[in-house]
């Protein structure tokens, strides 16, 4: 609707200017006729005096009309510019608010998904097979834990793998040893998910890391959750190891950014993104954008602005239930004139 208003205003201006130009041409011809009439009146001498007065008056009227058309042309141009600016501001407000709502909704959907991941890691860390292998990592316990993790993975297809590490940071079991070679025995003691998982306060606590590519998982984009495995599976038990669960980020995030309700025309001129707390692109409808820093400068938890002729709208994660969120943003960048 805003685009139509602007188009109508510009079309009206165009038509009016064309008519004024036609009027100017008529006035020019009138002035030429007036000049010729005065010349003929001068040749006629005394008999042409009265006609000379009429010719002069015609010239005077023609000049007044020409001045009036010039003033009208200037006024129309100024008002057309004001209408266009007002229309663009209206369009910015309408689209900006709509896109900001969509951006916030996108990151909120992801938060609800990740809340479930935080529940999974705390629940599975109390599984008897997981606790037993962390407490006494013998061959039989490892085989049982591996089988148990594989069963979980068959049911929860959003995970790439589940790893159990002992307190020293050595991986002692995983759910897909046939797919991911070299995981068993790997030293993860310096990796963020292990250190933070080991440091969790109790069985209700968990750690979550920024989305990264993990070499041992085929360089896949992964969101990693972890928590300490505790003696006896008790909430307040001492830590005997760490459970790390690796969420298959890319396909889940892609479905969210591509699922935003933009029109086909808007999709041609827009990109939808999820940004982490450092404004790194962690999901985007633009191929190859993962890991790049986007120059977002939020002034509030929700908003929009004009950047180089494009609307940039954003919304900060609101968190979900006990999951506070990680300071992520949903973000939509769109051409100003993209049709809704």
């Amino acid at each position: 609707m805003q685009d139509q208003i602007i188009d109508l205003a510009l079309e009206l201006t165009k038509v009016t200017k064309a008519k004024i130009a036609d009027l100017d041409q008529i006035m020019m011809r009138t002035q030429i006729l007036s000049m010729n009439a005065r010349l003929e009146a001068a040749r006629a001498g005394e008999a042409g005096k009265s006609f000379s007065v009429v010719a002069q008056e015609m010239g005077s009227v023609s000049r007044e009309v020409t001045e009036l058309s010039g003033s009208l042309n200037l006024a129309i141009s100024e008002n057309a510019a004001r209408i266009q600016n007002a229309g663009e501001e209206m369009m910015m407000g309408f689209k900006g608010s709509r896109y900001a709502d969509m951006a916030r909704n996108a990151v909120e959907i992801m938060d609800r998904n990740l809340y479930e991941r935080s529940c999974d890691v705390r629940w599975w860390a109390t599984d008897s097979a997981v606790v037993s292998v962390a407490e006494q990592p013998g061959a039989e316990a490892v085989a049982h834990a591996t089988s148990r993790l594989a069963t979980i993975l068959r049911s929860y297809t959003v995970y790439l793998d589940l790893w159990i590490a002992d307190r020293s940071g050595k991986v002692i079991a995983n759910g897909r040893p046939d797919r991911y070679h070299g995981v068993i025995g790997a030293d993860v003691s310096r990796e963020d998910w292990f250190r933070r998982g080991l440091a969790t306060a109790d069985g209700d606590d968990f750690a979550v890391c920024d989305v990264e590519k993990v070499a041992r998982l085929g360089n896949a984009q992964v969101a990693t959750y972890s928590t300490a495995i505790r003696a006896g599976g008790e909430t307040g038990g001492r830590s005997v190891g760490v459970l790390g669960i690796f969420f298959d980020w890319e396909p889940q995030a892609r479905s969210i950014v591509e699922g935003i309700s933009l029109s086909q025309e808007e999709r041609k001129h827009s990109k939808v993104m999820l940004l982490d707390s450092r404004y790194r692109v962690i999901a985007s409808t633009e191929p190859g954008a993962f890991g790049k820093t986007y120059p977002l400068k939020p002034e509030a938890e929700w908003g929009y602005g004009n950047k180089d002729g494009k609307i940039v709208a954003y919304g900060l994660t609101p968190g979900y239930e006990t999951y506070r969120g990680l300071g992520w943003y949903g973000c939509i960048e769109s051409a100003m004139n993209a049709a809704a």
Side-chain angles (χ1 to χ4, degrees):
M1 180 62 72
Q2 288 81 4
D3 292 345
Q4 292 177 350
I5 292 172
I6 294 173
D7 290 343
L8 286 171
L10 294 177
E11 183 62 24
L12 177 61
T13 302
K14 181 179 178 181
V15 171
T16 305
K17 285 187 173 183
K19 297 303 181 184
I20 291 175
D22 292 341
L23 182 61
D24 286 341
Q25 289 294 322
I26 294 172
M27 290 301 100
M28 184 178 295
R29 288 165 58 193
T30 302
Q31 288 179 8
I32 292 173
L33 288 173
S34 174
M35 186 182 301
N36 289 335
R38 288 199 301 273
L39 290 174
E40 292 300 322
R43 288 196 185 98
E46 190 67 27
K49 282 186 177 181
S50 60
F51 188 62
S52 176
V53 172
V54 174
Q56 288 178 357
E57 189 62 24
M58 284 176 60
S60 177
V61 170
S62 175
R63 285 191 295 274
E64 288 179 11
V65 172
T66 300
E67 291 175 0
L68 179 60
S69 68
S71 301
L72 181 60
N73 195 21
L74 179 61
I76 288 173
S77 296
E78 290 176 347
N79 283 294
R82 291 171 61 188
I83 291 172
Q84 184 173 4
N85 290 337
E88 288 178 352
E89 289 179 7
M90 188 187 304
M91 181 173 63
M92 167 71 86
F94 172 77
K95 287 189 174 182
S97 296
R98 175 168 162 262
Y99 288 161
D101 283 338
M102 288 181 174
R104 182 172 175 133
N105 184 59
V107 76
E108 185 175 13
I109 291 172
M110 180 53 75
D111 269 353
R112 291 183 181 185
N113 193 321
L114 297 182
Y115 164 71
E116 295 178 6
R117 312 290 70 87
S118 71
C119 295
D120 290 344
V121 71
R122 288 175 285 182
W123 170 29
W124 296 336
T126 64
D127 186 279
S128 60
V130 173
V131 174
S132 293
V133 76
E135 290 180 325
Q136 296 181 333
E140 185 175 343
V142 168
H144 182 47
T146 300
S147 176
R148 176 58 181 153
L149 296 180
T151 299
I152 293 173
L153 288 170
R154 285 194 296 272
S155 300
Y156 291 81
T157 57
V158 296
Y159 292 103
L160 290 170
D161 206 359
L162 312 176
W163 297 359
I164 299 172
D166 63 19
R167 279 188 57 84
S168 70
K170 177 184 176 182
V171 178
I172 55 178
N174 73 316
R176 288 179 171 146
D178 294 337
R179 179 184 301 184
Y180 301 114
H181 307 291
V183 171
I184 299 299
D187 180 4
V188 295
S189 59
R190 296 184 180 181
E191 295 185 15
D192 196 34
W193 69 268
F194 174 81
R195 292 186 295 101
R196 293 176 60 191
L198 190 63
T200 49
D202 53 41
D204 293 327
D205 196 9
F206 68 94
V208 55
C209 302
D210 284 336
V211 178
E212 300 286 357
K213 291 183 178 181
V214 178
R216 292 192 183 96
L217 295 175
N219 214 34
Q221 298 172 18
V222 176
T224 306
Y225 286 71
S226 61
T227 192
I229 302 166
R230 300 185 179 276
E234 298 294 331
T235 300
R238 63 182 179 84
S239 59
V240 292
V242 175
L243 174 66
I245 66 175
F246 301 92
F247 181 64
D248 191 6
W249 170 262
E250 194 274 335
Q252 318 305 325
R254 184 179 66 246
S255 68
I256 289 177
V257 295
E258 291 181 351
I260 292 296
S261 300
L262 297 175
S263 69
Q264 290 186 350
E265 188 62 27
E266 285 176 319
R267 288 184 185 281
K268 294 178 184 178
H269 305 283
S270 306
K271 58 182 177 181
V272 182
M273 299 167 283
L274 295 178
L275 311 177
D276 68 14
S277 60
R278 294 176 286 169
Y279 309 123
R280 287 188 318 140
V281 177
I282 52 177
S284 178
T285 52
E286 179 185 41
F290 182 85
K292 296 181 180 178
T293 300
Y294 185 78
L296 182 67
K297 297 180 179 179
E299 297 180 355
E301 293 184 357
W302 174 99
Y304 57 87
N306 186 338
K307 177 180 176 293
D308 300 328
K310 296 180 179 179
I311 298 174
V312 176
Y314 60 88
L316 176 66
T317 168
Y320 183 73
E321 296 287 347
T322 57
Y323 187 76
R324 296 189 303 275
L326 302 174
W328 291 358
Y329 285 86
C331 183
I332 298 177
E333 178 188 287
S334 181
M336 189 78 71
N337 58 355

